[in-house]
Amino acid sequence: HFVVYTKSSLQEQTTPGSAAFLDEAAALSNMTFLDEDLDRGELGGQLFWHPPDDTSEVTQYFVYMAQSSHGAARSRIGKTSRGKHDLEV
């Protein structure tokens, strides 16, 4: 829940306004990529993955290149919709 109290120069509100929220996460697995570009320093090919078990809250997949598995210095290279589990790189 988020709760917000208002405050004036006289006093702080005793009963806050509130809102509940639900934060969903869905993790994909078994990502594979075969680089079919033979030029050094260039990538090209199809990236595949298995979708999460529950995709009811998934609307799109955003694909990034990054310097680490934690997403350091990431740069978006594409996006695709739910139901599609691959991307041409």
Side-chain angles (χ1 to χ4, degrees), residues 52-65:
D53 292 334
D54 179 7
T55 61
S56 63
E57 298 295 325
V58 175
T59 59
Q60 292 180 315
Y61 296 99
F62 290 93
V63 181
Y64 296 84
M65 292 283 294

Side-chain angles (χ1 to χ4, degrees), residues 9-80:
S9 60
L10 301 174
Q11 67 181 19
E12 184 174 284
Q13 179 183 1
T14 58
T15 305
S18 67
F21 64 92
L22 178 62
D23 188 15
E24 294 286 334
L28 54 88
S29 62
N30 297 328
M31 195 178 321
T32 59
F33 176 73
L34 176 62
D35 186 9
E36 297 173 347
D37 189 312
L38 302 178
D39 295 330
R40 184 181 177 138
E42 294 182 13
L43 295 174
Q46 201 74 15
L47 175 66
F48 298 94
W49 60 87
H50 289 178
D53 292 334
D54 179 7
T55 61
S56 63
E57 298 295 325
V58 175
T59 59
Q60 292 180 315
Y61 296 99
F62 290 93
V63 181
Y64 296 84
M65 292 283 294
Q67 292 180 357
S68 74
S69 61
H70 298 289
R74 72 183 184 188
S75 175
R76 191 165 91 182
I77 60 171
K79 68 178 180 177
T80 188

